[in-house]
Amino acid sequence: MEAFWIWTKAKVNSIDMFSKPVSLTYQGREKFTTFLGGILSVLLTIGFVSYGMQLSIQMLTRSATSKAKNSIERDQILVSDYYNFSHEDLAFAVFIATDDSFVPFVDPSYFNVTVAQLSYSYDFKSGALNADLKEESMAICRENFPLLDHKLDDFRNFFSQISYCSTQTDFSFGGSVFFNTLKTVQIKVRRCVNETSVICKSKEEIEAKARDLTVTFIVSSKYFDFDDFETPIKRVVDDQFIFKMSSGLKKFSELYVKRSTVALSDSLLPLGEDKEDSFLTIDNYQKDQETRDMSDPIFIDLEIRQDLVVDSYERRVYSIPDFSENLENSLNFFQ
Ligand SMILES: *[C@@H]1O[C@H](CO)[C@@H](O)[C@H](O)[C@H]1NC(C)=O
Ligand SMILES: *[C@@H]1O[C@H](CO)[C@@H](O)[C@H](O)[C@H]1NC(C)=O
Ligand SMILES: *[C@@H]1O[C@H](CO)[C@@H](O)[C@H](O)[C@H]1NC(C)=O
């Protein structure tokens, strides 16, 4: 024990650089240097101590983490931006199933599921509203639909074989008709028509089938979790948009995509810059309206538009009580 103590002391002494003699022996200079060094040391010490105290006071006086959500409704006339998105940000899938037992139904000889990027442009001279429509068939999802972030491989395999997804990855919506720039995305479930390589069932068979089916519109988007300090922006898969198909009836609905911005300054020490991020989500939709115009035989018609409401989330500080609670949870987790 004694030997260990002597060894430790020797080690510490050898580390202490300041114990070494300072050999600045120019006439009269030695004193001056020491004086300046002393002043600097005192100033540095005062600086560090007061900074440390300031940090501690800030940390201790935080009562709780401040969490704020604000919604702003933008003026439609002033909106001119687009929300561009890929599968990672926002993905859609269409799931057709029998009404009573939810048995998947993916027979292309009955229905054609399409997605379209629609760009309206307003001709100021003639007053005409022109629509440019880029439409394509949706295909069985496979890898095109990001599910929840945790492992759900069985579900993914099952799900990706029974739902329709777009094969195109980039869409855009937003803008304003006042600026000649409106873009929306449309998803439609149509009756199969004998114009392609697919040989369709008869019109009567298709209409009869439609009476037994529901169409679930599944959205993979993101949401903000105030209580998560590691990955506060999480993926959510929402399947609440369900439509009952009807024969001889078009059901129309609008879904609004909202952009949320996130500002985080939640390190334990009140240091560093704010972290900023944004994500897209759908939490607003207009319940379906029915029309009887079946000249273009559409059963389901969904229009996805930019929401004029923008949400902003702010998590300002990370309080000592929150920190200790989190720590406690982590420790419990590891026990
Ligand atoms: C989104 O796409 C449009 C074209 O559709 C483009 O003009 C715009 O700059 C893009 N916006 C961003 C933020 O990438
Ligand atoms: C589905 O409908 C779209 C738009 O009318 C068309 O371009 C496409 O060829 C159709 N696909 C099938 C398989 O019928
Ligand atoms: C498509 O063609 C098949 C075979 O020619 C026919 O039996 C069916 O009724 C047609 N379906 C439609 C919707 O035109």
Side-chain angles (χ1 to χ4, degrees):
M1 201 61 207
E2 186 92 335
F4 177 73
W5 175 237
I6 290 166
W7 177 82
T8 310
K9 256 171 95 179
K11 271 279 178 228
V12 172
N13 280 340
S14 73
I15 289 165
D16 184 4
M17 299 189 301
F18 300 105
S19 70
K20 284 180 185 157
V22 180
S23 55
L24 290 170
T25 47
Y26 276 67
Q27 315 101 310
R29 275 279 184 130
E30 192 184 341
K31 237 178 187 164
F32 178 71
T33 310
T34 310
F35 180 69
L36 184 65
I39 295 277
L40 276 177
S41 306
V42 169
L43 287 180
L44 275 174
T45 308
I46 290 174
F48 277 126
V49 168
S50 61
Y51 185 55
M53 273 171 65
Q54 202 188 325
L55 285 186
S56 320
I57 289 168
Q58 278 193 40
M59 283 164 64
L60 290 169
T61 53
R62 289 168 181 169
S63 54
T65 298
S66 89
K67 303 165 179 175
K69 181 189 173 189
N70 290 303
S71 298
I72 303 163
E73 175 143 16
R74 304 196 298 167
D75 188 334
Q76 185 167 20
I77 297 179
L78 301 177
V79 173
S80 59
D81 60 333
Y82 298 107
Y83 298 165
N84 299 343
F85 65 97
S86 66
H87 282 318
E88 261 315 299
D89 310 309
L90 191 67
F92 309 113
V94 175
F95 173 58
I96 304 177
T98 54
D99 199 6
D100 45 2
S101 51
F102 264 84
V103 174
F105 186 81
V106 283
D107 188 338
S109 65
Y110 286 85
F111 306 106
N112 179 10
V113 185
T114 64
V115 60
Q117 170 77 66
L118 188 62
S119 309
Y120 293 105
S121 63
Y122 185 74
D123 187 337
F124 289 98
K125 273 198 192 126
S126 67
L129 187 65
N130 305 310
D132 172 42
L133 189 78
K134 288 195 179 64
E135 191 169 29
E136 56 158 43
S137 294
M138 290 173 91
I140 296 301
C141 291
R142 312 209 192 283
E143 267 86 59
N144 283 333
F145 193 78
L147 281 167
L148 300 171
D149 291 330
H150 34 264
K151 287 199 183 89
L152 278 169
D153 286 344
D154 286 347
F155 179 58
R156 184 193 299 274
N157 288 339
F158 171 69
F159 174 84
S160 62
Q161 301 303 318
I162 56 165
S163 303
Y164 294 93
C165 284
S166 70
T167 49
Q168 195 191 325
T169 52
D170 297 299
F171 290 102
S172 172
F173 37 58
S176 163
V177 73
F178 298 99
F179 284 112
N180 204 4
T181 54
L182 189 70
K183 286 172 196 270
T184 68
V185 174
Q186 289 185 342
I187 292 183
K188 291 178 180 151
V189 179
R190 279 206 178 79
R191 190 170 70 215
C192 177
V193 287
N194 271 334
E195 281 161 17
T196 57
S197 51
V198 180
I199 297 165
C200 305
K201 290 281 186 296
S202 74
K203 195 178 163 215
E204 293 69 31
E205 278 174 292
I206 297 171
E207 292 289 332
K209 193 80 200 167
R211 278 183 222 119
D212 301 334
L213 299 176
T214 52
V215 174
T216 305
F217 185 65
I218 304 167
V219 183
S220 176
S221 65
K222 309 265 174 89
Y223 73 101
F224 182 71
D225 181 355
F226 268 122
D227 298 323
D228 192 322
F229 287 85
E230 259 152 49
T231 46
I233 297 177
K234 292 199 171 82
R235 186 174 299 286
V236 60
V237 174
D238 200 336
D239 61 356
Q240 65 175 313
F241 312 110
I242 302 173
F243 303 87
K244 170 103 191 64
M245 265 209 242
S246 293
S247 167
L249 219 54
K250 177 167 107 175
K251 295 202 168 175
F252 175 77
S253 177
E254 283 174 353
L255 291 104
Y256 299 94
V257 175
K258 196 183 267 189
R259 192 174 64 130
S260 299
T261 59
V262 175
L264 302 171
S265 69
D266 52 18
S267 64
L268 183 61
L269 293 174
L271 300 166
E273 302 259 302
D274 279 9
K275 265 187 276 166
E276 307 220 326
D277 213 335
S278 70
F279 62 92
L280 297 177
T281 200
I282 290 187
D283 61 3
N284 182 8
Y285 72 107
Q286 188 185 51
K287 204 63 194 132
D288 51 316
Q289 304 153 15
E290 298 180 352
T291 58
R292 259 159 228 286
D293 174 21
M294 293 297 283
S295 53
D296 187 8
I298 298 167
F299 293 98
I300 305 292
D301 183 358
L302 288 172
E303 182 146 19
I304 303 156
R305 313 177 61 133
Q306 186 185 47
D307 201 327
L308 288 176
V309 175
V310 175
D311 286 342
S312 61
Y313 294 91
E314 260 186 32
R315 190 168 61 195
R316 278 282 134 218
V317 286
Y318 193 14
S319 71
I320 292 281
D322 279 352
F323 175 71
S324 34
E325 193 184 308
N326 255 20
L327 194 67
E328 212 173 290
N329 289 343
S330 313
L331 292 177
N332 287 343
F333 179 77
F334 284 115
Q335 264 167 19

